[in-house]
Amino acid sequence: NRVRCAIIAWIIVGSSMAVSGELNFVLIGFVFQLISQLAECSRAVMGEVVLSGGDLKLDPLSYTLFVAPTCLAVLIGGNMATWDPAIP
């Protein structure tokens, strides 16, 4: 849908203008934020597809039961990969 894409583009442009004056730009932080946004958008789109119909139609509670363990596994993996015991 072109209207939806235009709205998303408008939000991205506005957000980019809001952070253009940042003095301490860190590339790895930007990459983490980009990956995080892509994952969240993918989750939202997947939820819309699954909840709206198709081959697998779930109610919202069943969808949450399906997605929550997957999200937990990804978060635990990321936490284990970046764990530093020196940080209190």
Side-chain angles (χ1 to χ4, degrees):
N1 188 352
R2 290 184 185 194
V3 174
R4 187 177 289 177
C5 288
I7 291 171
I8 292 172
W10 182 256
I11 292 170
I12 290 172
V13 168
S15 299
S16 298
M17 289 178 5
V19 297
S20 65
E22 179 62 36
L23 297 177
N24 300 320
F25 180 78
V26 179
L27 183 61
I28 191 70
F30 179 76
V31 170
F32 281 155
Q33 286 293 325
L34 183 64
I35 292 170
S36 170
Q37 288 299 314
L38 288 173
E40 179 63 24
C41 291
S42 299
R43 186 196 60 81
V45 169
M46 183 179 69
E48 184 176 337
V49 169
V50 169
L51 292 173
S52 67
D55 295 338
L56 180 64
K57 185 166 172 50
L58 298 174
D59 60 291
L61 187 58
S62 298
Y63 172 72
T64 302
L65 185 66
F66 173 71
V67 171
T70 307
C71 292
L72 179 64
V74 170
L75 289 171
I76 287 174
N79 193 13
M80 289 173 60
T82 61
W83 182 260
D84 185 7
I87 298 175

